[in-house]
Amino acid sequence: MLDTKTAFLTQMDMSEDALKTAIQNALHGADDGELFVEYTQNQALSLEDGRLKTSSYAEEQGMGLRRVEGEFAGLVHSNNLSEFQLKKAAQELAAVSKGHGGSHSLVLSKQHKPLYPALNPIETHRFEERIQLMNDIDAYVRNKDSRVVQATVRLNTNLQQVMIVRADGTLATDIRPLVRIDVSVILDNGKMRESGSFSYGGRDSDDMFFDTKRWQAAADEALRRADIALIAKPSPAGEIPVVLNPGWAGILFHEAVGHGLEGDFNRKGTSAFAGLIGEQVAAKGVTVVDDGSIPGRRGSLTIDDEGTPTQRNVLIEDGILKGYMQDRLNARLMGVKPTGNGRRESYAHLTMPRMTNTLLVGGDMHPDEIIADTKYGLYTKSFGGGQVDITTGSFVFEVSEAYLIENGKLTAPVKDAMLIGNGPTSLKYIDRIGNDMSLDPGLGTCGKDGQGVPVGVGQPTLRMNGGITVGGTAS
């Protein structure tokens, strides 16, 4: 596999110096902008009830030339990588610059060591090996539990290579592998049917699929969740303490709080956190960070989609709001530095400030102590979908698995629970933070303005002793 820069320059039939000169000329007089060149490969396979249901492979390449004037950004994109198309894109963008001036913002810091050098997960194992693996998983769940009436296994492997060229002569590249496996089952006990699923993945080769202990653990977890759903009782309702499990439960704060800490919403004053830098916005002990530099995590990148190196950004520290996640446009307009959070779905999309891996940092309390300290409440085990209003921070989340806490102990499993609350308010009711900080298994995709990007979340066990309402169906 050619290195990313050589591959793109060869495809465009341009020297590095010629390309840099072309971008400098195309963006002359703009406030900011860049050329984003991308090549992606994706293979998706699904097996249902022992039969290959879908098999797809796709390749896509293209480039997007973006020019920024003030707070307006123009983008011209093409799936043809050529000098001719680049010049044509520059001509079309020239209209954006009419009546505008300015200088390029903020020179990039030096790119750090690539997180994923020359790794292509699609080429690690043969197609036949993946099919055999899915059949092995299907056979495993059926042998493990005779109640299985349907089993589905999905494998997704993806490679994205990008090159970013800025008018100041900066050229940065990144290789971004991404893999994910999903195991889903439906159990029938003769009276009712329930489903269970488990997924894991990350920025790695697909060797993680073929780790027998790991895929068996995922299959066991899918079976366990379906089994619990068969015996779960309707959830109670009301404003009661809620203990959130470590890891994937961080999706609640990703949605209810994380989006409100993105720079564009705060620059425009539409976030509930706008204008609150330096103020107490959460309970003491609550620290929230966004870190796109953790190797192997779904939201991690060497550089963001504007070429800024990713980093660990402290957003909330001990309850005090410290800063927002920034792309270059909003950072320039707010008079701060970009934080490595400029992201785009593809070359055909504009960048915007987005989360990478958003984490609520662990405390010093043992998780068993948190449950023992709760006389009555709800313990969440896994989450489904949710909705949030960025302006107010109000959210509604589906809890796919939960348990009652009674007299300091986990008791009956419950289903059909919803968590209803307000993100900024809920932060102030966190009164117990566990020492078991963990990351999600690698399955998150975040949507914003019609664009989806891979993300990660994480948190320890923690308790919200108020500020949240449980919606349930128990009479």
Side-chain angles (χ1 to χ4, degrees):
M1 183 169 81
L2 290 175
D3 71 83
T4 300
K5 181 174 72 172
T6 301
F8 282 135
L9 292 175
T10 300
Q11 177 75 5
M12 299 177 75
D13 195 22
M14 297 181 71
S15 69
E16 182 175 343
D17 288 342
L19 179 59
K20 289 180 178 179
T21 299
I23 300 308
Q24 185 176 21
N25 292 336
L27 299 180
H28 179 72
D31 290 316
D32 203 5
E34 75 286 314
L35 175 71
F36 182 87
V37 189
E38 175 187 25
Y39 170 69
T40 61
Q41 297 171 269
N42 180 267
Q43 183 186 74
L45 304 172
S46 69
L47 186 87
E48 187 172 300
D49 295 333
R51 295 182 179 180
L52 185 64
K53 185 177 181 181
T54 60
S55 173
S56 66
Y57 175 82
E59 294 185 45
E60 186 175 10
Q61 65 178 20
M63 60 182 177
L65 182 63
R66 185 181 69 130
R67 183 182 180 97
V68 179
E69 304 283 356
E71 60 180 271
F72 176 78
L75 175 71
V76 177
H77 59 85
S78 171
N79 60 6
N80 184 344
L81 301 184
S82 68
E83 184 174 8
F84 173 79
Q85 285 298 113
L86 179 58
K87 290 180 178 179
K88 185 175 180 181
Q91 291 171 355
E92 293 186 25
L93 274 182
V96 177
S97 64
K98 188 176 182 180
H100 294 276
S103 60
H104 296 283
S105 67
L106 298 173
V107 175
L108 293 176
S109 55
K110 186 177 180 181
Q111 178 178 340
H112 51 66
K113 183 179 179 181
L115 294 179
Y116 322 106
L119 173 62
N120 188 342
I122 296 177
E123 298 176 349
T124 311
H125 289 87
R126 301 191 315 273
F127 178 81
E128 294 80 8
E129 292 178 286
R130 294 192 173 103
I131 300 301
Q132 184 59 54
L133 171 64
M134 292 192 293
N135 275 299
D136 289 345
I137 297 173
D138 180 88
Y140 177 82
V141 296
R142 295 179 187 279
N143 290 333
K144 195 77 180 284
D145 196 320
S146 61
R147 298 172 298 170
V148 173
V149 293
Q150 183 174 312
T152 304
V153 184
R154 297 183 180 88
L155 301 181
N156 191 284
T157 50
N158 181 275
L159 177 70
Q160 180 192 40
Q161 298 180 75
V162 304
M163 179 174 72
I164 298 165
V165 187
R166 307 197 60 80
D168 60 9
T170 302
L171 187 153
T173 62
D174 202 7
I175 295 176
R176 303 167 178 176
L178 190 64
V179 297
R180 173 172 167 163
I181 180 171
D182 304 274
V183 182
S184 302
V185 298
I186 296 178
L187 299 186
D188 187 332
N189 65 2
K191 296 180 180 179
M192 59 187 299
R193 291 186 174 189
E194 288 288 356
S195 63
S197 63
F198 188 78
S199 309
Y200 67 89
R203 294 195 180 276
D204 204 340
S205 76
D206 67 347
D207 284 341
M208 67 167 58
F209 295 163
F210 293 85
D211 182 332
T212 303
K213 289 184 178 179
R214 194 164 186 182
W215 68 251
Q216 286 183 351
D220 289 342
E221 180 63 10
L223 289 168
R224 188 198 65 79
R225 291 183 178 185
D227 186 51
I228 289 295
L230 285 170
I231 63 173
K233 301 176 181 179
S235 171
E239 187 170 326
I240 59 177
V242 175
V243 178
L244 301 175
N245 62 299
W248 180 237
I251 190 64
L252 188 151
F253 290 103
H254 166 100
E255 294 290 355
V257 176
H259 281 296
L261 296 176
E262 291 168 340
D264 49 355
F265 296 127
N266 288 280
R267 178 178 65 82
K268 298 172 184 177
T270 57
S271 167
F273 293 99
L276 298 181
I277 296 290
E279 296 190 20
Q280 190 89 28
V281 297
K284 289 188 67 64
V286 174
T287 295
V288 178
V289 303
D290 186 87
D291 190 346
S293 64
I294 308 170
R297 303 310 305 175
R298 189 170 168 86
S300 294
L301 311 167
T302 306
I303 52 174
D304 72 2
D305 293 328
E306 298 175 311
T308 306
T310 55
Q311 62 185 32
R312 184 179 188 270
N313 300 299
V314 178
L315 307 174
I316 299 173
E317 185 174 31
D318 198 22
I320 304 296
L321 182 60
K322 293 294 185 177
Y324 307 120
M325 292 167 278
Q326 302 284 6
D327 63 349
R328 289 174 61 91
L329 184 155
N330 287 281
R332 174 173 52 82
L333 294 174
M334 296 179 77
V336 297
K337 293 182 179 180
T339 60
N341 291 92
R343 304 191 65 186
R344 67 209 305 169
E345 181 177 316
S346 77
Y347 69 87
H349 296 82
L350 287 166
T351 59
M352 64 181 86
R354 305 289 300 273
M355 286 173 274
T356 58
N357 304 298
T358 310
L359 321 170
L360 197 152
V361 178
D364 57 8
M365 196 169 187
H366 194 282
D368 291 345
E369 293 181 272
I370 297 176
I371 294 172
D373 191 44
T374 306
K375 186 175 181 180
Y376 182 78
L378 186 77
Y379 177 80
T380 66
K381 183 72 174 176
S382 62
F383 280 81
Q387 296 180 355
V388 62
D389 183 326
I390 302 300
T391 304
T392 64
S394 297
F395 63 81
V396 178
F397 268 88
E398 174 191 352
V399 182
S400 53
E401 182 184 353
Y403 297 82
L404 289 179
I405 304 174
E406 298 175 292
N407 296 318
K409 296 181 180 180
L410 296 184
T411 58
V414 295
K415 58 184 177 182
D416 301 326
M418 303 290 290
L419 297 186
I420 305 163
N422 177 275
T425 300
S426 298
L427 284 175
K428 298 176 181 177
Y429 283 90
I430 296 175
D431 68 345
R432 299 288 186 273
I433 303 176
N435 60 8
D436 57 342
M437 164 66 193
S438 65
L439 304 176
D440 75 282
L443 61 150
T445 298
C446 174
K448 179 180 177 181
D449 290 350
Q451 294 191 41
V453 295
V455 295
V457 298
Q459 68 165 58
T461 298
L462 59 85
R463 186 176 75 179
M464 290 188 290
N465 196 14
I468 193 164
T469 299
V470 176
T473 57
S475 56

